[in-house]
Amino acid sequence: DTGVSQDPRHKITKRGQNVTFRCDPISEHNRLYWYRQTLGQGPEFLTYFQNEAQLEKSRLLSDRFSAERPKGSFSTLEIQRTEQGDSAMYLCASSFTRGLETQYFGPGTRLLVL
Amino acid sequence: GENVEQHPSTLSVQEGDSAVIKCTYSDSASNYFPWYKQELGKRPQLIIDIRSNVGEKKDQRIAVTLNKTAKHFSLHITETQPEDSAVYFCAASKERGDTGRRALTFGSGTRLQVQP
């Protein structure tokens, strides 16, 4: 499968625990985005990388959230001290900085914080 | 920042009819407008996208129109089929001078139901 992949697909955790999600972009894509989607809403931008550089962070990204893309390939999104309000689908997308820069999405990680 | 409004939130049509979904955006610098289809429990899938230097783009039964002056764009689906039933999202983004294209700002979605 040459599309964007995410792991795990589902995560249930207790409030206060830390969780980490992984995204593997399409191999030649140099841009990687994280979005959050809650039920009945469109995806909301969290942060994005070009290669290993984190270029922009949304105000939604509180200091409990951190993202990395250490070698410019896969990325991780960590949430520390999870809260019930963090329950959502976390989507990753990747693109190539040429042409329309179309973003292709992964299947998402659904997080439930109890 | 950019704000994208989408309507209607739900749309029910008979199979074979046309469906139209409309979006407005607030930032006149936005110049790229994709549409995504999301089936229940699945990832958003790009169905068509358009740049602001093009007024209309068509791909088989799907077309997008853009009115830059009014800052709105629309998705048109003709000859709808039951498999078109899904949630459709519009989005907008613009170029950043220093680092290229910004992330997408999405509308709130339209749930399309095609009745057989």
Side-chain angles (χ1 to χ4, degrees):
Chain A
D1 185 359
T2 56
V4 179
S5 61
Q6 292 186 245
D7 184 69
R9 296 290 307 278
H10 304 273
K11 179 71 178 179
I12 301 173
T13 191
K14 292 182 180 178
R15 191 175 51 185
Q17 297 294 305
N18 299 343
V19 294
T20 300
F21 310 141
R22 176 180 170 125
C23 171
D24 287 88
I26 293 170
S27 59
E28 64 268 25
H29 284 185
N30 56 350
R31 284 229 170 151
L32 188 149
Y33 302 79
W34 285 100
Y35 293 86
R36 182 173 70 186
Q37 186 177 27
T38 53
L39 205 60
Q41 298 297 315
E44 295 175 293
F45 166 68
L46 293 177
T47 188
Y48 84 92
F49 294 84
Q50 179 160 313
N51 301 314
E52 65 276 6
Q54 189 171 18
L55 295 187
E56 188 175 355
K57 291 192 284 188
S58 161
R59 283 171 292 179
L60 290 175
L61 210 68
S62 77
D63 55 8
R64 297 185 298 106
F65 287 69
S66 63
E68 294 184 339
R69 195 183 183 198
K71 297 181 180 179
S73 57
F74 73 91
S75 175
T76 57
L77 177 69
E78 181 184 16
I79 309 174
Q80 296 183 326
R81 305 180 304 280
T82 52
E83 301 173 356
Q84 288 184 324
D86 297 331
S87 296
M89 174 75 86
Y90 289 83
L91 291 163
C92 174
S94 70
S95 71
F96 188 59
T97 49
R98 209 172 274 180
L100 289 175
E101 299 184 49
T102 301
Q103 292 185 32
Y104 296 92
F105 281 83
T109 294
R110 185 169 294 283
L111 172 66
L112 178 61
V113 182
L114 301 176
Chain B
E2 174 68 278
N3 182 48
V4 177
E5 295 192 355
Q6 182 172 349
H7 58 95
S9 57
T10 59
L11 179 59
S12 183
V13 299
Q14 291 294 125
E15 183 177 357
D17 287 351
S18 294
V20 180
I21 302 170
K22 298 183 180 182
C23 289
T24 59
Y25 59 99
S26 61
D27 191 339
S28 56
S30 289
N31 61 357
Y32 173 62
F33 307 94
W35 286 87
Y36 287 84
K37 174 183 179 182
Q38 189 174 30
E39 297 177 56
L40 191 62
K42 296 196 174 178
R43 72 186 78 192
Q45 298 258 12
L46 180 80
I47 55 172
I48 195 166
D49 52 5
I50 192 170
R51 269 195 187 278
S52 60
N53 59 351
V54 175
E56 183 174 356
K57 185 175 178 181
K58 195 171 182 180
D59 183 3
Q60 299 183 341
R61 296 186 297 108
I62 293 171
V64 57
T65 59
L66 171 66
N67 183 327
K68 284 191 296 183
T69 304
K71 289 190 283 186
H72 68 71
F73 56 114
S74 301
L75 178 72
H76 304 254
I77 306 174
T78 58
E79 300 170 22
T80 53
Q81 301 165 4
E83 50 266 38
D84 293 330
S85 296
V87 179
Y88 291 80
F89 292 99
C90 62
S93 75
K94 65 182 180 183
E95 299 274 356
R96 254 176 79 147
D98 51 350
T99 57
R101 182 158 300 285
R102 298 197 74 174
L104 297 170
T105 300
F106 283 83
S108 55
T110 296
R111 181 172 300 281
L112 174 64
Q113 182 70 41
V114 180
Q115 307 287 348

